[in-house]
Amino acid sequence: MADPYDYSSDTALQNLLNQLYNPYQQDILLAYGYQPSPGTPSITNPGDYIDPDPGGNVPLPPPGVYTPPPVLPPFDPGTDPTPDPPPPPTPNPCPAGYVMGPDGVCIIDPNTGDPQPPPPEPPPPEPPPPQPPSGYVNPANMKDYDPFMHGRRNKFYGMDVLAGSRQEVSADEFNRLLGGIEGKYGQGAFYDPERGSIYQNIDDDKVSQENSSYVPYGVDPSKYTDVQRLQAAHMGIGDQDGRSRNPIYTSQRIGDKMYFVDNGKVYSYDVRDIEYGEGSPTFARGGAVSPVARSGIGALFAKEVMR
């Protein structure tokens, strides 16, 4: 029978046991030169016991008697000083006054009753009133600002009108101005307040000509022959309503003003000729129409126009 193995002579085994039971004998600590202070206890070297209370002043429980900790009351969530915050409410996808029902359909909220319609939105603010145009304007655009001008826009052909320039003129002043113009037949014109008409002066012998179909335009119908009166009515000349054998004329341009007769009163507007640009239709130079093509129809009657 073999002799028992002498473990005390096995140096490697002893070193392994020292490292297992004495951490201060581990290779890494020994490699760095660490040495525990004298008296440091360990498993392999417990050292000398030093009584921490040699005088017996600190009362100790009897040996071998276990003293349990005090019993804590059961946990009450209501008394927890820091309870968990409640979960956030589920957002309501339904409109105001409704909640999501069990079938996934919006139903009336039982806590609020019938939903009340939202208050009506305030009406939008009123737009600011349009400002009247200023400067020279086209009479066709003045319906909402000057109905008098707009209603006579055909009389302003070839002209722009100064907005807000209408003035009332006395009959005497108007007759004075008419007497100073050349007129349609080279002898000026006059205003008859009783008939409310403007007439061009003309020699009597020029009214009656051999050709009875000739009807002078814009003259006092009392100078007409009976045939001419009838022809004037058939032609519909004059500014009166409907056809008449005694036509009247209610507009006259004098220089840079246009005059109108209306209900026994005379009014004036400041006007200017429309200047046509290079894009306006043109005609070949020369011939009877070349002055009109060069200057425009408004400039042709710039001195005075009988309409």
Side-chain angles (χ1 to χ4, degrees), residues 69-98:
V71 179
L72 298 177
F75 175 72
D76 184 3
T79 61
D80 188 359
T82 57
D84 294 335
T90 304
N92 183 16
C94 299
Y98 291 85

Short mmCIF file of all heavy atoms in Angstrom, two decimals, residues 69-98:
data_model
loop_
_atom_site.label_atom_id
_atom_site.label_comp_id
_atom_site.label_asym_id
_atom_site.label_seq_id
_atom_site.Cartn_x
_atom_site.Cartn_y
_atom_site.Cartn_z
N PRO A 69 -36.02 43.11 13.92
CA PRO A 69 -36.33 44.54 13.70
C PRO A 69 -37.80 44.80 13.97
O PRO A 69 -38.62 43.87 13.99
CB PRO A 69 -35.96 44.76 12.24
CG PRO A 69 -36.13 43.43 11.60
CD PRO A 69 -35.74 42.41 12.66
N PRO A 70 -38.15 46.07 14.19
CA PRO A 70 -39.58 46.36 14.43
C PRO A 70 -40.43 46.04 13.22
O PRO A 70 -40.00 46.15 12.06
CB PRO A 70 -39.57 47.87 14.73
CG PRO A 70 -38.33 48.39 14.10
CD PRO A 70 -37.32 47.28 14.21
N VAL A 71 -41.65 45.61 13.50
CA VAL A 71 -42.56 45.24 12.42
C VAL A 71 -43.15 46.51 11.80
O VAL A 71 -43.68 47.39 12.50
CB VAL A 71 -43.69 44.33 12.96
CG1 VAL A 71 -44.64 43.98 11.83
CG2 VAL A 71 -43.08 43.09 13.59
N LEU A 72 -43.03 46.66 10.47
CA LEU A 72 -43.58 47.81 9.75
C LEU A 72 -45.03 47.57 9.38
O LEU A 72 -45.41 46.42 9.07
CB LEU A 72 -42.76 48.08 8.48
CG LEU A 72 -41.28 48.44 8.69
CD1 LEU A 72 -40.58 48.60 7.35
CD2 LEU A 72 -41.15 49.70 9.53
N PRO A 73 -45.87 48.60 9.42
CA PRO A 73 -47.27 48.41 9.01
C PRO A 73 -47.34 48.12 7.52
O PRO A 73 -46.42 48.45 6.75
CB PRO A 73 -47.93 49.76 9.35
CG PRO A 73 -46.81 50.75 9.31
CD PRO A 73 -45.59 50.00 9.79
N PRO A 74 -48.44 47.49 7.09
CA PRO A 74 -48.58 47.20 5.65
C PRO A 74 -48.63 48.51 4.84
O PRO A 74 -49.09 49.55 5.29
CB PRO A 74 -49.89 46.41 5.57
CG PRO A 74 -50.64 46.81 6.79
CD PRO A 74 -49.60 47.04 7.88
N PHE A 75 -48.13 48.44 3.60
CA PHE A 75 -48.06 49.62 2.73
C PHE A 75 -49.46 50.07 2.30
O PHE A 75 -50.27 49.25 1.87
CB PHE A 75 -47.21 49.30 1.50
CG PHE A 75 -47.18 50.42 0.50
CD1 PHE A 75 -46.45 51.58 0.76
CD2 PHE A 75 -47.88 50.32 -0.70
CE1 PHE A 75 -46.42 52.61 -0.16
CE2 PHE A 75 -47.85 51.35 -1.61
CZ PHE A 75 -47.12 52.50 -1.36
N ASP A 76 -49.74 51.36 2.50
CA ASP A 76 -51.03 51.96 2.10
C ASP A 76 -50.76 52.98 1.00
O ASP A 76 -50.11 54.02 1.25
CB ASP A 76 -51.69 52.62 3.30
CG ASP A 76 -53.08 53.17 2.95
OD1 ASP A 76 -53.52 52.97 1.79
OD2 ASP A 76 -53.70 53.78 3.83
N PRO A 77 -51.25 52.73 -0.24
CA PRO A 77 -50.97 53.71 -1.31
C PRO A 77 -51.53 55.09 -1.01
O PRO A 77 -50.99 56.10 -1.47
CB PRO A 77 -51.65 53.10 -2.54
CG PRO A 77 -51.80 51.65 -2.22
CD PRO A 77 -51.98 51.57 -0.72
N GLY A 78 -52.61 55.15 -0.19
CA GLY A 78 -53.20 56.45 0.08
C GLY A 78 -52.33 57.33 0.93
O GLY A 78 -52.49 58.55 0.95
N THR A 79 -51.44 56.73 1.72
CA THR A 79 -50.56 57.52 2.59
C THR A 79 -49.17 57.69 2.01
O THR A 79 -48.29 58.24 2.66
CB THR A 79 -50.45 56.83 3.95
OG1 THR A 79 -49.88 55.52 3.78
CG2 THR A 79 -51.82 56.71 4.62
N ASP A 80 -48.98 57.22 0.77
CA ASP A 80 -47.67 57.37 0.15
C ASP A 80 -47.44 58.85 -0.15
O ASP A 80 -48.23 59.48 -0.87
CB ASP A 80 -47.62 56.56 -1.15
CG ASP A 80 -46.22 56.54 -1.73
OD1 ASP A 80 -45.31 57.16 -1.13
OD2 ASP A 80 -46.03 55.94 -2.81
N PRO A 81 -46.39 59.45 0.43
CA PRO A 81 -46.18 60.90 0.18
C PRO A 81 -45.83 61.20 -1.26
O PRO A 81 -45.99 62.33 -1.72
CB PRO A 81 -45.03 61.24 1.13
CG PRO A 81 -44.31 59.94 1.34
CD PRO A 81 -45.36 58.86 1.29
N THR A 82 -45.35 60.25 -1.98
CA THR A 82 -44.99 60.50 -3.39
C THR A 82 -45.66 59.45 -4.27
O THR A 82 -45.02 58.53 -4.78
CB THR A 82 -43.47 60.44 -3.57
OG1 THR A 82 -42.99 59.17 -3.11
CG2 THR A 82 -42.79 61.56 -2.80
N PRO A 83 -46.99 59.55 -4.42
CA PRO A 83 -47.66 58.55 -5.27
C PRO A 83 -47.27 58.75 -6.73
O PRO A 83 -46.85 59.83 -7.16
CB PRO A 83 -49.15 58.85 -5.05
CG PRO A 83 -49.18 60.31 -4.71
CD PRO A 83 -47.91 60.56 -3.91
N ASP A 84 -47.41 57.72 -7.52
CA ASP A 84 -47.14 57.81 -8.95
C ASP A 84 -48.15 58.75 -9.61
O ASP A 84 -49.34 58.75 -9.27
CB ASP A 84 -47.22 56.42 -9.59
CG ASP A 84 -46.11 55.51 -9.07
OD1 ASP A 84 -45.07 56.04 -8.64
OD2 ASP A 84 -46.32 54.28 -9.12
N PRO A 85 -47.69 59.57 -10.54
CA PRO A 85 -48.64 60.47 -11.23
C PRO A 85 -49.65 59.67 -12.04
O PRO A 85 -49.35 58.60 -12.57
CB PRO A 85 -47.73 61.32 -12.13
CG PRO A 85 -46.51 60.48 -12.36
CD PRO A 85 -46.32 59.71 -11.08
N PRO A 86 -50.88 60.17 -12.10
CA PRO A 86 -51.89 59.43 -12.88
C PRO A 86 -51.51 59.44 -14.36
O PRO A 86 -50.84 60.36 -14.85
CB PRO A 86 -53.18 60.23 -12.64
CG PRO A 86 -52.71 61.61 -12.30
CD PRO A 86 -51.42 61.43 -11.56
N PRO A 87 -51.92 58.43 -15.08
CA PRO A 87 -51.60 58.39 -16.52
C PRO A 87 -52.31 59.53 -17.24
O PRO A 87 -53.39 59.98 -16.84
CB PRO A 87 -52.11 57.02 -16.96
CG PRO A 87 -53.18 56.67 -15.97
CD PRO A 87 -52.73 57.26 -14.66
N PRO A 88 -51.72 60.05 -18.29
CA PRO A 88 -52.38 61.14 -19.04
C PRO A 88 -53.68 60.66 -19.66
O PRO A 88 -53.81 59.50 -20.05
CB PRO A 88 -51.34 61.50 -20.12
CG PRO A 88 -50.51 60.27 -20.29
CD PRO A 88 -50.46 59.64 -18.93
N PRO A 89 -54.70 61.55 -19.72
CA PRO A 89 -55.98 61.13 -20.31
C PRO A 89 -55.83 60.83 -21.80
O PRO A 89 -55.03 61.44 -22.50
CB PRO A 89 -56.89 62.35 -20.07
CG PRO A 89 -55.96 63.51 -19.97
CD PRO A 89 -54.71 62.97 -19.32
N THR A 90 -56.61 59.91 -22.23
CA THR A 90 -56.61 59.55 -23.66
C THR A 90 -57.23 60.69 -24.47
O THR A 90 -58.32 61.16 -24.13
CB THR A 90 -57.39 58.25 -23.88
OG1 THR A 90 -56.83 57.22 -23.05
CG2 THR A 90 -57.33 57.83 -25.34
N PRO A 91 -56.55 61.19 -25.48
CA PRO A 91 -57.15 62.28 -26.28
C PRO A 91 -58.46 61.85 -26.93
O PRO A 91 -58.61 60.72 -27.38
CB PRO A 91 -56.07 62.59 -27.33
CG PRO A 91 -55.23 61.36 -27.40
CD PRO A 91 -55.25 60.76 -26.02
N ASN A 92 -59.41 62.79 -26.93
CA ASN A 92 -60.73 62.51 -27.49
C ASN A 92 -60.73 62.88 -28.98
O ASN A 92 -60.59 64.06 -29.34
CB ASN A 92 -61.79 63.33 -26.75
CG ASN A 92 -63.20 63.03 -27.25
OD1 ASN A 92 -63.42 62.02 -27.92
ND2 ASN A 92 -64.14 63.90 -26.94
N PRO A 93 -60.87 61.89 -29.85
CA PRO A 93 -60.86 62.21 -31.28
C PRO A 93 -62.19 62.76 -31.79
O PRO A 93 -62.29 63.14 -32.95
CB PRO A 93 -60.54 60.85 -31.93
CG PRO A 93 -61.16 59.85 -30.99
CD PRO A 93 -60.99 60.44 -29.60
N CYS A 94 -63.20 62.81 -30.93
CA CYS A 94 -64.53 63.24 -31.37
C CYS A 94 -64.67 64.76 -31.22
O CYS A 94 -63.93 65.39 -30.47
CB CYS A 94 -65.62 62.54 -30.55
SG CYS A 94 -65.59 60.73 -30.70
N PRO A 95 -65.63 65.36 -31.92
CA PRO A 95 -65.84 66.80 -31.78
C PRO A 95 -66.38 67.15 -30.40
O PRO A 95 -66.74 66.28 -29.60
CB PRO A 95 -66.85 67.12 -32.89
CG PRO A 95 -67.53 65.83 -33.20
CD PRO A 95 -66.51 64.77 -32.94
N ALA A 96 -66.43 68.45 -30.12
CA ALA A 96 -66.88 68.92 -28.81
C ALA A 96 -68.29 68.41 -28.52
O ALA A 96 -69.18 68.44 -29.38
CB ALA A 96 -66.84 70.45 -28.76
N GLY A 97 -68.51 67.92 -27.28
CA GLY A 97 -69.82 67.41 -26.87
C GLY A 97 -70.00 65.94 -27.16
O GLY A 97 -71.06 65.40 -26.86
N TYR A 98 -68.99 65.27 -27.74
CA TYR A 98 -69.10 63.85 -28.08
C TYR A 98 -67.92 63.11 -27.48
O TYR A 98 -66.85 63.69 -27.25
CB TYR A 98 -69.13 63.63 -29.59
CG TYR A 98 -70.40 64.13 -30.26
CD1 TYR A 98 -70.51 65.47 -30.64
CD2 TYR A 98 -71.46 63.28 -30.52
CE1 TYR A 98 -71.67 65.95 -31.25
CE2 TYR A 98 -72.62 63.74 -31.13
CZ TYR A 98 -72.72 65.07 -31.49
OH TYR A 98 -73.85 65.53 -32.10
#
